[in-house]
Structure formats: C-alpha cells, structure tokens
Amino acid sequence: VKEDCDFNKDWLALLKITGTDDAGPGWKTFVPAGAAPTVETVQKVDALRTADRNRAFDLTQCVVADVTNAAAYIVRAILQIRSAASACPEPKACAINIMNIISSFAWISQFTSLAVSDCWDKGSQKALCAADISDMVAAVTNGPAAGIATTSDCADMPDPLEEEKHLPMD
C-alpha cells in the first residue's frame, strides 16, 4: 500500500496510459469495454453544465443588477426632476439638471433592456442593442453635465448653495 500511495510515482505509467505494461494491472481490467463515456458525451455534458452556469448568472444579473439599478435610477430621476424644478431659474444649474434627468431616463432604459435579455431564458439581441444605444445616450448626456458641474464643484472656494442646485434633492 505504501508503494502504491507514493505520489512521486508516474500515475500515467500506473494506469498503463503510457504504454508500458510492467506497472501493475492497468485501468482496462477495472473498466469494462465500452463503459467509458465517448468524447461527444463528455462535450455534451460540459456544454449543458456551461449553459446551466450561464443561465444562473443571467438570472442573478437580472435580479441583482438590472432590476435593482433600474429601480434606483427611477428614484434618482424623480429626485433630479424635483431639483430641476427649483433650480431652473439659474441657467447653468438648469442645464446640468436637465442633462442628468435625460441620462437617468436613458439608464432606466438600459437596465430595463438588460433585464429583458437577462431574465428571458433565450435572451434578446434587440434588447441588448437597445441597452447599448441607451447606454450611449446616457453617457453622452451625462458627460457634459459632469463637465459643467466641475466648474463649481472643483472651484477653490466652492459655494455650497451653487453645488446644491445641481444635486438630487433628498
């Protein structure tokens, strides 16, 4: 037993996979002919396991990320609309708020589209395309809003009242 449990031995030689016949009885004496799965069967089982793992990931992504983020951006859009209503007499703050509102609605669209694709077992190429377009709209509108906001947020002596005009209201 000690000799057979020595892990420094060549396991391929012990199983007679290397072609040498002097290393023990070999694996063929323990496995009846035809009992081993074919390569195609192993590939099918592997493909099914991969598909199951991907489906579980999609469902997790659907619930944890897509639906949660869509709901969060709905709340954010509501707060941004409230903030814009009170800050629109000021052109700079109004522009920032309007672009943030547009980007929030675009992100709502993106996460809703991703939920459609991730929650449905067959996915949806059209939903993924809609998510990509929505993400692009959100990024294009949010970028300038962030750029304009930096003029007051990154000032040497920022005015807290100016900053509050383009932040979502609590």
Side-chain angles (χ1 to χ4, degrees), residues 2-170:
K2 183 179 179 186
E3 185 179 324
D4 289 338
C5 293
D6 183 9
F7 292 108
N8 292 325
K9 284 189 175 181
D10 182 11
W11 286 98
L12 296 176
L14 283 173
L15 297 175
K16 289 193 176 188
I17 294 175
T18 60
T20 59
D21 289 338
D22 60 349
W27 62 274
K28 288 184 180 179
T29 59
F30 298 110
V31 179
T38 63
V39 172
E40 294 82 21
T41 303
V42 171
Q43 289 174 338
K44 286 179 185 178
V45 168
D46 186 49
L48 285 172
R49 286 182 180 163
T50 300
D52 287 345
R53 184 175 49 249
N54 289 344
R55 182 67 187 135
F57 176 79
D58 285 345
L59 287 175
T60 303
Q61 188 75 9
C62 166
V63 174
V64 174
D66 302 339
V67 174
T68 304
N69 283 333
Y73 273 99
I74 289 170
V75 172
R76 182 178 171 89
I78 291 168
L79 294 173
Q80 288 170 331
I81 290 169
R82 286 181 54 202
S83 178
S86 66
C88 261
E90 308 239 354
K92 181 175 141 184
C94 189
I96 293 169
N97 285 325
I98 289 171
M99 286 187 273
N100 281 334
I101 291 167
I102 293 168
S103 70
S104 289
F105 278 111
W107 272 312
I108 292 167
S109 172
Q110 178 199 20
F111 289 117
T112 303
S113 298
L114 288 172
V116 167
S117 178
D118 291 338
C119 296
W120 188 31
D121 63 341
K122 295 178 182 155
S124 171
Q125 189 63 36
K126 289 182 180 181
L128 290 174
C129 178
D132 289 341
I133 293 169
S134 298
D135 190 32
M136 185 175 58
V137 170
V140 166
T141 56
N142 187 256
I148 296 169
T150 58
T151 59
S152 63
D153 293 345
C154 298
D156 289 336
M157 303 271 293
D159 182 9
L161 295 176
E162 286 295 316
E163 290 180 47
E164 287 181 12
K165 290 179 184 174
H166 60 82
L167 296 175
M169 298 177 96
D170 294 333

